[in-house]
Amino acid sequence: AEESRPQQQKHRVAIKGKDAPQAADTFAEMAERFSIPSQLLSNLAKYDYHHPTAIQSHCVPILMELRDLAAISPTGTGKTLSYLLPIIMSLKKPISHASEDDNSMGAGARAVILAPTKELAQQIHNECLKLCQGRKWRVVLFSKATANTLSDKKSRDRVDIIISTPLRLASFVTSKSIELDNVRHLVLDEADRMLDAEFLDQVQETITACTHPQLQKAVFSATLPAGAEKIALDMMRNPVRIVVGLKDT
Ligand code: ADP
Ligand code: MG
């Protein structure tokens, strides 16, 4: 706890929200509080992730306690791991471990991450594959390149984590050719763009298709104009809002 203070001061962390969970200053503390799978811990070390960044220290506990979240932190501060770690930590078991006729987990992905460009979606996918190494997670990038392998609905539904641009996923949603009612974690990365006129309709169609009562919503951005922030907070329940560094409006 002592160590977090200089870091917090340096980054000017502002948190709003009822009973916001305490930050976890180290990956070891996260492992103690929330049980990080050992494979994930060793993957972090393998890729030289030794200490969580400020936004990760705050967001991992908030998301692990299943709170909705609006997180604003400058570019390069590690927002990607802030949402990937909790998703991987809380999903526990890859869907592919269930036998073909075991419907206990329901059909379809349990996490959806939307990003505004295919390059960004690709980067998130790469990062997610690194963290999932050694476990049988089905992490799927929805793109032109994967359209072939995703051509039948069954293969689209036998995934754990979907990473997509808004249009790719929305086109499956509007044609009712994907199951999203088992999604527990929905993340909008670069939320300022996702909640802007360009993507808002597609994003909202996808959110509407995520019908699970325990759906957690999180948005991440370097900047979040007031209008976009209001849209985000209005669709959340008891959210936590965190700003690291100066909010750039
Ligand atoms: P943002 O989305 O906030 O712009 P990224 O998630 O893309 O930031 O991370 C920026 C860079 O920092 C990436 O190269 C990533 O691998 C690296 N990084 C993220 N978290 C850590 C960490 N805990 N320790 C070391 N490097 C990290
Ligand atoms: Mg980013």
Side-chain angles (χ1 to χ4, degrees), residues 95 103 105-110 153 157-159 179-183:
I95 198 166
N103 289 321
M105 285 195 294
R110 284 164 298 152
K153 184 169 179 300
D157 287 341
R158 290 196 68 76
V159 303
E179 215 73 64
L180 294 180
D181 44 4
N182 210 19
V183 175

Side-chain angles (χ1 to χ4, degrees), residues 4 9-11 19 21 46 49 52 60 64 71-72 77 92 96 129 133 144 158 160 186-187 194 206 215-216:
S4 70
Q9 267 166 17
K10 201 169 88 200
H11 292 283
D19 302 324
K46 178 174 171 185
Y49 298 135
V60 170
M64 285 307 290
I72 302 162
T77 53
K92 303 266 195 281
S96 50
L129 290 180
Q133 256 177 33
K144 267 209 188 83
R158 290 196 68 76
D160 294 295
L186 177 80
V187 176
M194 305 301 287
T206 297
L215 176 69
Q216 174 186 54

Side-chain angles (χ1 to χ4, degrees), residues 63 80 83-84 86-88 90-91 107-116 121 124-125 128 137-142 156-157 159-173 178-190 194 202-212 214-220 235:
L63 292 173
T80 317
Y83 57 78
L84 287 181
I87 287 173
I88 297 165
S90 49
L91 289 188
R110 284 164 298 152
V112 167
I113 299 158
L114 293 177
I124 297 164
H125 184 243
C128 195
W137 296 102
R138 297 195 181 185
V139 183
V140 180
L141 177 67
F142 278 27
R156 284 193 297 274
D157 287 341
V159 303
D160 294 295
I161 301 172
I162 292 173
I163 301 159
S164 180
T165 53
L167 183 59
R168 275 282 147 195
L169 190 54
S171 65
F172 288 128
V173 168
I178 195 161
E179 215 73 64
L180 294 180
D181 44 4
N182 210 19
V183 175
R184 311 297 164 89
H185 310 274
L186 177 80
V187 176
L188 306 182
D189 200 348
E190 313 233 325
M194 305 301 287
Q202 293 154 16
V203 166
Q204 272 170 341
E205 277 179 54
T206 297
I207 294 174
T208 305
C210 297
T211 56
H212 198 281
Q214 278 144 31
L215 176 69
Q216 174 186 54
K217 302 188 188 98
V219 304
F220 283 80
M235 65 188 189

Side-chain angles (χ1 to χ4, degrees), residues 93-107 138 154 158:
K93 192 171 145 202
I95 198 166
S96 50
H97 282 186
S99 70
E100 286 292 326
D101 45 27
D102 173 8
N103 289 321
S104 60
M105 285 195 294
R138 297 195 181 185
K154 202 172 170 205
R158 290 196 68 76

